[in-house]
Amino acid sequence: MGKRLDGKTIVITGASSGIGRSTALEFARTSPKNLRLILTARRIDTLKEVAADIKKEVGEGVKVLPFKLDVSQPDEVRSFVGNLPEEWRNIDVLVNNAGLVKGVAKAPEIEEADVNVMFATNVTGLINMTQAVLAIFKKRPEGGAGDIINIGSIAGREPYQGGSIYCATKAAVRSFTDALRKELVATRIRVIEIDPGQVETEFSVVRFYGDKSKADAVYAGCEPLTPDDIAEVIVFTAGRRENVIVADTLIFPNHQA
Ligand code: NDP
């Protein structure tokens, strides 16, 4: 698999923690030859730490560019590719992973600001990033190969009480991904969705506005997946030969079934 990913340029959104961070490390471990990893998120210092962790683990073979990017800001996304150094612009794979949930509340009580940030990040941000990267694929002389890998959620398939807005954002990701795949059928662009179940990351800390005790309570009495479990699937999917699309994956801990 390594050879298929050698020399690729891969963008990961939300690479400062959790699934995005693990995915960056897993790509680096799998294909340390001339890989270029563009790690994006809002916390640039944390991205630099991830870059240092990669260097420590696999050495200098993988080039890593930490890049501050808030996907909820359309202007930042629009100027993202143009602001990359020239040699980093030929993107092959986009992992649309940045996402969050804010609050647990029944629909009538949800704060408007929380609704807006979830849609701006999980949906509009993902769509804007996809459009920016598709424009690069389409300019390619060899017919525009590339991968768009969208991280949805089991919540997009099975809505739960208290999570109506988050679930709606992930259902939107699912519809967008399915429609885009149909639009791009028989091209060299693969449009992929990976839907995790419960994974222990900073996700729930963000959900409870930094309250770690509430976040930990989410995992009480169950064994969530690790971010590495998801990263392995993302990298496996990107590493298939070009005619193979692992189009739609649901991955969750056994206790959640
Ligand atoms: P984390 O909170 O650990 O990671 C979320 C990442 O998204 C962080 O790197 C964060 O970086 C980034 N992010 C958030 N908002 C923005 C923004 N506006 N612009 C750019 N980056 C942003 O959670 P996970 O790793 O668990 O989440 C990754 C994805 O997996 C999300 O899409 C989530 O919905 C999905 N998921 C998670 C599940 C779970 O149980 N953990 C289950 C199912 C799906 P920063 O703060 O530095 O910007």
Side-chain angles (χ1 to χ4, degrees):
M1 173 163 75
K3 284 201 178 71
R4 294 198 195 116
L5 293 169
D6 285 352
K8 300 271 188 200
T9 297
I10 296 170
V11 181
I12 304 170
T13 67
S16 58
S17 67
I19 294 168
R21 176 186 180 279
S22 283
T23 301
L25 277 151
E26 185 65 18
F27 270 121
R29 284 182 202 119
T30 306
S31 189
K33 268 199 215 145
N34 303 319
L35 195 71
R36 286 178 186 271
L37 289 175
I38 304 172
L39 308 185
T40 75
R42 295 165 300 178
R43 288 171 292 173
I44 186 69
D45 289 346
T46 316
L47 289 174
K48 286 178 183 164
E49 287 167 19
V50 177
D53 291 344
I54 291 172
K55 193 167 282 184
K56 211 182 295 164
E57 201 168 314
V58 302
E60 302 289 337
V62 176
K63 297 185 178 66
V64 184
L65 179 66
F67 194 98
K68 186 170 167 17
L69 176 65
D70 183 339
V71 298
S72 73
Q73 301 301 313
D75 288 348
E76 282 191 37
V77 175
R78 252 190 298 278
S79 56
F80 161 65
V81 175
N83 286 338
L84 291 171
E86 186 84 43
E87 66 276 20
W88 288 85
R89 289 185 196 159
N90 198 21
I91 295 163
D92 299 289
V93 179
L94 167 64
V95 183
N96 266 321
N97 165 74
L100 45 70
V101 59
K102 282 285 192 183
V104 177
K106 294 266 170 71
E109 280 98 49
I110 297 167
E111 301 282 344
E112 187 180 354
D114 290 344
V115 174
N116 290 342
V117 77
M118 283 190 265
F119 271 95
T121 309
N122 301 359
V123 183
T124 316
L126 176 144
I127 293 169
N128 290 342
M129 282 300 295
T130 301
Q131 288 178 332
V133 170
L134 282 177
I136 297 170
F137 293 171
K138 290 191 166 164
K139 271 192 216 149
R140 292 228 166 91
E142 76 273 24
D147 290 346
I148 305 287
I149 302 179
N150 293 336
I151 307 306
S153 171
I154 197 170
R157 306 179 187 225
E158 294 175 25
Y160 55 88
Q161 292 187 49
S164 58
I165 302 303
Y166 177 69
C167 295
T169 67
K170 291 299 187 178
V173 168
R174 192 159 179 74
S175 291
F176 174 72
T177 307
D178 284 348
L180 184 64
R181 187 182 310 115
K182 286 175 185 160
E183 289 173 10
L184 292 171
V185 71
T187 68
R188 296 178 65 205
I189 298 170
R190 298 187 295 195
V191 183
I192 289 157
E193 169 132 348
I194 295 172
D195 289 347
Q198 209 168 36
V199 187
E200 188 164 11
T201 63
E202 290 178 16
F203 185 73
S204 276
V205 180
V206 173
R207 176 192 341 220
F208 294 111
Y209 308 96
D211 186 330
K212 185 85 170 57
S213 59
K214 279 192 182 162
D216 288 346
V218 171
Y219 306 117
C222 61
E223 189 192 337
L225 298 184
T226 69
D228 283 352
D229 292 325
I230 310 301
E232 285 167 10
V233 172
I234 294 170
V235 174
F236 172 85
T237 300
R240 298 305 84 211
R241 67 187 180 81
E242 196 180 295
N243 193 36
V244 178
I245 308 186
V246 184
D248 193 4
T249 303
L250 176 62
I251 167 172
F252 53 87
N254 216 356
H255 81 260
Q256 209 179 341

